Amino acid sequence: MIWPVPYDTKSQSFGENPTKYLPASHWIIRQFGNYQPDGHTGMDFAVKAGTPFRACADGTVIHVGWYPGTYADNDMWIAPGFAGFCYVVDHPWGRSIYGHGLDGGSKVRVGDQVKEGQVLGLTGNTGGTGDHLHFEILLNGWVVNSQFYGRVNPEAVISTLAPAGEVITYTPDEQFFIDLSISLP
Ligand SMILES: [Zn+2]
């Protein structure tokens, strides 16, 4: 598994919630679902709109674009207004979700088989608050009606799965990614 954009651009971690005790009108991090007050259901990467982002692992694209209806109309509880122009990739181990993409910036279609590292689209700020990519992970067997709506911390999953001590050398062009694990079950 690789991060969809360079890992050192992280701007908000899983579970963070600096606005937890503020009135709803002051919430600044509500992206997917009404997850307050538990905390942030994914990781944010601060990148300028228009930055290519990539699939974290091999999989099948099952959603591209805005969600219709309400969060209850999809089995992952992705809230249409907050998710913006978003992407969902189905993997043998679960699903990865990429939010706030540039509307119309897609490089893939529903049904496409994508490889780890393949560009899915361009980042944006749709549905969000400023330019960033919001990245979520759902593992098989997720229970949406739970804390964080079944999401798990991508950092925890990746560190758990990462081969101990493995170091991968990239060409300069490939340093866009930081590969922390290539051994997903
Ligand atoms: Zn986020």
Side-chain angles (χ1 to χ4, degrees):
M1 175 187 282
I2 61 168
W3 296 110
V5 291
Y7 180 51
D8 57 10
T9 63
K10 182 177 70 170
S11 60
Q12 189 175 355
S13 299
F14 185 86
E16 282 186 1
N17 191 349
T19 54
K20 181 173 179 177
Y21 300 107
L22 295 175
S25 59
H26 290 67
W27 291 350
I28 59 172
I29 58 166
R30 46 183 185 181
Q31 273 97 23
F32 284 112
N34 181 13
Y35 56 78
Q36 302 277 358
D38 288 341
H40 188 225
T41 57
M43 271 174 63
D44 287 345
F45 296 92
V47 285
K48 285 182 77 87
T51 299
F53 67 94
R54 300 168 191 262
C56 70
D58 294 357
T60 304
V61 178
I62 61 172
H63 176 82
V64 176
W66 294 81
Y67 266 99
T70 74
Y71 70 91
D73 293 333
N74 62 84
D75 67 348
M76 294 164 284
W77 283 14
I78 296 176
F82 300 147
F85 194 95
C86 67
Y87 300 68
V88 181
V89 180
D90 188 51
H91 308 281
W93 45 266
R95 289 178 183 171
S96 57
I97 301 169
Y98 312 76
H100 314 313
L102 191 70
D103 196 341
S106 171
K107 306 298 182 187
V108 294
R109 294 179 179 177
V110 170
D112 283 359
Q113 306 288 318
V114 294
K115 289 294 187 185
E116 176 186 275
Q118 182 174 336
V119 173
L120 296 177
L122 304 178
T123 63
N125 51 35
T126 52
T129 53
D131 295 358
H132 72 281
L133 177 74
H134 175 98
F135 176 56
E136 300 195 341
I137 293 287
L138 284 163
L139 297 181
N140 286 340
W142 77 81
V143 178
V144 130
N145 191 13
S146 67
Q147 192 180 33
F148 302 114
Y149 297 85
R151 276 68 170 166
V152 297
N153 186 347
E155 293 184 271
V157 173
I158 288 174
S159 62
T160 298
L161 298 172
E166 180 163 339
V167 176
I168 299 169
T169 304
Y170 290 102
T171 66
D173 192 44
E174 291 171 331
Q175 286 174 1
F176 188 77
F177 322 115
I178 298 175
D179 193 336
L180 297 179
S181 171
I182 55 170
S183 63
L184 278 165

